[in-house]
């Protein structure tokens, strides 16, 4: 866990810095300068580009994570594996783009009435998706050599800071919404270029090739793995984005914009999982290679409990600050109190997902990776069916309920399989203790007296909630890693 600790704490700090910027954008800026339909469209093209790039990648990021340990060499050429993988991703993007262009009439037919902006910006998604694909390839290239912090900074801090700047430029009437979309796409290209330059300077990879036939690479085996993982990964991402896609198509960008606003507020709960996953994926892949199951079990448990502890604190922290959130946003199109239940339901879905820990990672990097495809296909069919039933009647809440129930089902299925097939599972009585501690922390913050100033209230209310929650978590030794970190910080303060 040493590497995980060292990089996870740094990644968590970067991720939380990015979270603050994202919250400024989501809560303070988007509601003032962009209407719900425009915000809904912005989240729609982000969702489509993520899915587009994932399908186009042919599973290359997962291929790098699983097979790089087998092709790693001291001469930094790595048997040409990185070059071959990059060529595979490029070929996949070309094919995916041809399909995207040829099927334009079919795709636009789904959004013509409810999302007219999608037709206007249809071809903008090609460069955006290419930049997303490039960044994903380069990010995984960094992960496999345990260099994860800079890519995290670029994606979660720099890109969001630039988005902040563009929103302020809209406010100053220097640019319009179309300019904003164009600049956002360009910034995705910029962060990919910066990451590429960084990886070149690491010296971990040589760009010279001796074997242009890549004869040492087991192409059929690797490609077979890639195709299975791209199907499961694409369907998994579809599971994350299907609510956005279906809401825009069925009830319009306006409703989807409100839903996405609450979804993006709730997504902060997944920040600890995002930070840990940048390192743990490679750790699990290496452990499977050496058949070190004890290491996998240890990482499985520790990531689950750490993610649950931090996630629950963030969840109750947002709930107790609901009135403050609304006071800051001050846009009734987003902040009608009847919409807050969207956050509750979506937030519970994120909590379930991060508490599951490494469920999907363990299966994807094992020899049973094909089963992930089956699990995720079943989950998407279930989610889409629920959406078709619930969205027409309950609109955004229907999508939120579908997301929660699907997340519960998928995590339970993968947990159950791992428990009985690999004899691993991350849960013990401390997970139940976290729920009790979270309820006490929520009650403390919820019924604490209100301060006269909204920002003072946020600081005091959040501080009291965190103090009670943190002290209880420390006292009951919920996570030894968190306690060790707290002890180290206390020694520095009181030495």
């Amino acid at each position: 866990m040493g590497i995980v600790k060292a990089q996870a704490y740094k990644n968590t700090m970067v991720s939380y810095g990015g979270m603050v910027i994202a919250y400024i954008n989501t809560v303070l800026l988007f509601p003032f300068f962009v209407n719900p339909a425009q915000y809904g469209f912005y989240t729609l093209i982000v969702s489509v580009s993520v899915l587009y790039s994932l399908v186009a990648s042919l599973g290359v990021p997962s291929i790098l994570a699983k097979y790089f340990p087998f092709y790693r060499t001291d001469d930094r050429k790595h048997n040409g594996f990185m070059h071959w993988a990059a060529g595979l991703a490029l070929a996949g993007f070309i094919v995916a783009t041809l399909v995207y262009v040829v099927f334009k009439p079919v795709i636009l037919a789904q959004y013509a009435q409810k999302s007219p902006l999608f037709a206007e910006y249809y071809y903008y998604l090609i460069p955006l998706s290419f930049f997303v694909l490039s960044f994903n390839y380069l990010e995984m290239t960094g992960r496999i050599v345990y260099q994860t912090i800079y890519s995290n900074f670029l994606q979660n801090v720099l890109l969001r800071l630039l988005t902040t700047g563009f929103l302020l430029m809209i406010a100053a009437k220097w640019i319009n919404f179309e300019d904003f979309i164009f600049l956002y796409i360009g910034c995705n290209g910029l962060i990919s270029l910066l990451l590429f330059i960084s990886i070149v300077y690491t010296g971990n990879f040589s760009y010279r090739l001796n074997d242009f036939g890549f004869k040492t690479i087991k192409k059929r085996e690797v490609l077979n793995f890639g195709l299975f993982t791209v199907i499961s990964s694409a369907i998994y991402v579809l599971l994350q984005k299907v609510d956005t896609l279906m809401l825009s198509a069925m009830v319009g960008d306006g409703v989807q914009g409100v839903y996405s606003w609450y979804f993006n507020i709730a997504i902060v709960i997944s920040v600890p999982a995002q930070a840990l996953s940048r390192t743990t994926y490679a750790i699990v892949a290496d452990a499977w290679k050496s058949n070190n199951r004890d290491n996998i079990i240890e990482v499985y448990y520790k990531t689950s409990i750490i993610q649950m502890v931090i996630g629950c604190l963030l969840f109750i922290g947002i709930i107790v600050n609901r009135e403050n959130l609304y006071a800051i946003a001050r846009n009734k199109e987003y902040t009608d109190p009847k919409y807050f239940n969207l956050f509750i339901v979506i937030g519970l879905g994120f909590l379930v997902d991060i508490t599951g820990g490494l469920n999907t990672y363990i299966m994807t990097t094992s020899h049973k990776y094909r089963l992930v495809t089956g699990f995720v296909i079943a989950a998407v069919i279930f989610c889409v069916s629920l959406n078709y039933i619930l969205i027409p009647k309950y609109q955004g809440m229907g999508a939120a309920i579908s997301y929660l129930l699907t997340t519960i089902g998928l995590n339970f299925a993968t947990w159950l399989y791992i428990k009985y097939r690999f004899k691993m599972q991350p849960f013990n009585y401390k997970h139940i203790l976290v729920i009790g501690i979270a309820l006490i922390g929520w009650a403390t913050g919820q019924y604490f007296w209100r301060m006269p100033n909204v920002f003072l209230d946020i600081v005091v209310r959040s501080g009291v909630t965190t103090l009670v929650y943190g002290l209880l978590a420390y006292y009951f030794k919920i996570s030894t890693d968190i306690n060790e970190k707290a002890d180290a910080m206390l020694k520095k303060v009181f030495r």
Side-chain angles (χ1 to χ4, degrees):
M1 262 316 259
I3 296 175
V4 177
K5 284 184 185 179
Q7 295 207 14
Y9 287 130
K10 293 178 182 178
N11 273 316
T12 299
M13 295 303 295
V14 173
S15 296
Y16 283 142
M19 177 196 72
V20 172
I21 301 167
Y23 261 53
I24 290 172
N25 293 343
T26 301
V27 178
L28 292 178
L29 300 181
F30 272 115
F32 282 93
F33 309 131
V34 175
N35 63 48
Q38 290 174 324
Y39 182 64
F41 172 73
Y42 161 75
T43 57
L44 174 65
I45 65 167
V46 171
S47 298
V48 173
S49 67
V50 169
L51 188 60
Y52 182 159
S53 64
L54 183 57
V55 173
S57 73
L58 296 180
V60 165
S62 296
I63 286 173
L64 295 179
K66 181 174 176 63
Y67 286 99
F68 180 76
F70 297 93
Y71 293 102
R72 189 197 314 255
T73 59
D74 293 333
D75 63 3
R76 299 179 293 115
K77 295 179 181 178
H78 310 302
N79 293 295
F81 181 65
M82 304 302 295
H83 298 77
W84 180 82
L88 180 63
L90 181 60
F93 180 78
I94 292 171
V95 173
T97 300
L98 289 174
V99 172
Y100 182 73
V101 172
V102 170
F103 284 89
K104 176 183 175 181
V106 177
I107 296 171
L108 287 183
Q110 308 302 314
Y111 294 92
Q113 293 184 342
K114 300 295 184 179
S115 182
L117 285 173
F118 190 67
E120 183 180 346
Y121 293 90
Y122 189 79
Y123 289 110
Y124 280 51
L125 268 79
I126 295 176
L128 176 59
S129 301
F130 177 75
F131 294 145
V132 173
L133 170 62
S134 300
F135 189 88
N136 289 341
Y137 171 86
L138 294 167
E139 181 191 27
M140 187 56 76
T141 300
R143 284 193 193 190
I144 57 182
V145 292
Y146 301 105
Q147 294 182 353
T148 63
I149 298 168
Y150 187 59
S151 62
N152 190 7
F153 168 79
L154 291 175
Q155 188 174 48
N156 290 318
V157 177
L158 181 60
L159 183 59
R160 289 169 176 172
L161 274 176
L162 292 170
T163 303
T164 303
F166 300 149
L167 288 169
L168 293 175
M169 290 169 71
I170 291 178
K173 302 189 184 304
W174 294 349
I175 63 173
N176 57 28
F177 184 70
E178 181 177 357
D179 298 327
F180 169 81
I181 296 296
F182 182 78
L183 289 169
Y184 177 79
I185 293 170
C187 285
N188 277 269
L190 174 64
I191 65 171
S192 296
L193 177 61
L194 292 173
L195 184 55
F196 174 74
I197 294 171
S198 171
I199 289 173
V200 168
Y201 276 96
T202 64
N204 287 303
F205 304 96
S206 171
Y207 293 89
R208 297 180 180 179
L209 268 179
N210 295 329
D211 177 15
F212 290 91
F214 307 108
K215 296 175 184 177
T216 60
I217 299 174
K218 298 178 181 178
K219 301 179 187 66
R220 179 175 296 180
E221 177 187 339
V222 174
L223 188 56
N224 185 45
F225 171 80
L227 291 175
F228 267 100
T229 55
V230 76
I231 292 171
S232 61
S233 297
I235 297 173
Y236 186 77
V237 170
L238 178 60
L239 182 61
Q240 301 290 322
K241 306 296 184 182
V242 69
D243 45 8
T244 299
L245 301 175
M246 293 184 72
L247 282 169
S248 285
M250 296 175 70
V251 292
D253 286 338
V255 173
Q256 189 263 107
V258 173
Y259 173 88
S260 294
W261 192 71
Y262 283 95
F263 193 95
N264 286 330
I265 291 172
I267 206 170
V268 67
I269 297 168
S270 69
V271 168
Q274 293 171 11
L276 284 171
S277 69
R278 292 176 178 272
T279 305
T280 51
Y281 199 109
I283 294 287
V284 172
D286 284 341
W288 275 125
K289 178 191 173 185
S290 58
N291 197 29
N292 188 349
R293 296 198 175 201
D294 289 340
N295 191 28
I296 297 175
I297 292 171
E298 180 186 13
V299 175
Y300 192 18
Y301 165 71
K302 289 187 174 183
T303 53
S304 173
I305 195 68
I306 289 172
Q307 290 172 183
M308 185 182 186
V309 168
I310 301 175
C312 282
L313 175 60
L314 295 170
F315 182 60
I316 64 171
I318 295 171
I319 293 175
V320 301
N321 280 291
R322 180 182 68 170
E323 297 303 323
N324 294 324
L325 175 69
Y326 285 175
I328 292 172
R330 290 184 298 174
N331 186 328
K332 288 298 182 183
E333 290 185 279
Y334 293 90
T335 60
D336 190 316
K338 68 182 180 182
Y339 294 137
F340 193 75
N341 285 337
L342 286 172
F343 167 78
I344 301 293
V345 177
I346 296 167
L348 288 172
F350 276 114
L351 278 179
V352 169
D353 200 32
I354 67 172
T355 303
L358 302 178
N359 285 339
T360 305
Y361 287 170
I362 289 173
M363 290 190 64
T364 301
T365 52
S366 76
H367 64 287
K368 294 293 184 179
Y369 61 86
R370 293 178 179 86
L371 286 174
V372 177
T373 303
F375 282 131
V376 179
I377 288 175
V380 168
I381 292 172
F382 177 72
C383 187
V384 170
S385 300
L386 272 182
N387 276 334
Y388 269 115
I389 295 170
L390 298 177
I391 287 177
K393 186 173 182 181
Y394 300 109
Q395 297 194 341
M397 180 54 71
I401 293 171
S402 298
Y403 173 74
L404 172 60
L405 294 179
T406 305
T407 303
I408 292 172
L410 179 60
N411 275 275
F412 178 76
T414 52
W415 166 81
L416 191 64
Y417 182 83
I418 292 169
K419 176 178 171 60
Y420 284 96
R421 179 64 180 82
F422 300 126
K423 309 302 180 186
M424 305 176 187
Q425 73 94 21
F427 302 119
N428 61 24
Y429 73 96
K430 289 186 177 180
H431 289 78
I432 299 174
L433 280 177
V434 173
I435 296 174
I437 291 169
L439 289 173
I440 296 171
W442 165 80
T444 302
Q446 185 70 25
Y447 298 106
F448 195 80
W449 61 82
R450 188 161 297 279
M451 302 292 106
N453 177 274
V454 62
F455 294 104
L456 178 62
D457 190 76
I458 291 174
V459 172
V460 174
R461 190 173 304 276
S462 300
V464 170
T465 303
T466 302
L467 180 63
V468 172
Y469 184 93
L471 287 174
L472 289 173
Y474 182 86
Y475 177 78
F476 287 105
K477 299 180 180 178
I478 299 297
S479 167
T480 55
D481 292 291
I482 293 177
N483 273 35
E484 287 174 6
K485 189 67 176 178
D487 289 338
M489 292 175 65
L490 289 171
K491 285 180 180 178
K492 289 181 180 180
V493 172
F494 294 107
R495 65 181 178 182

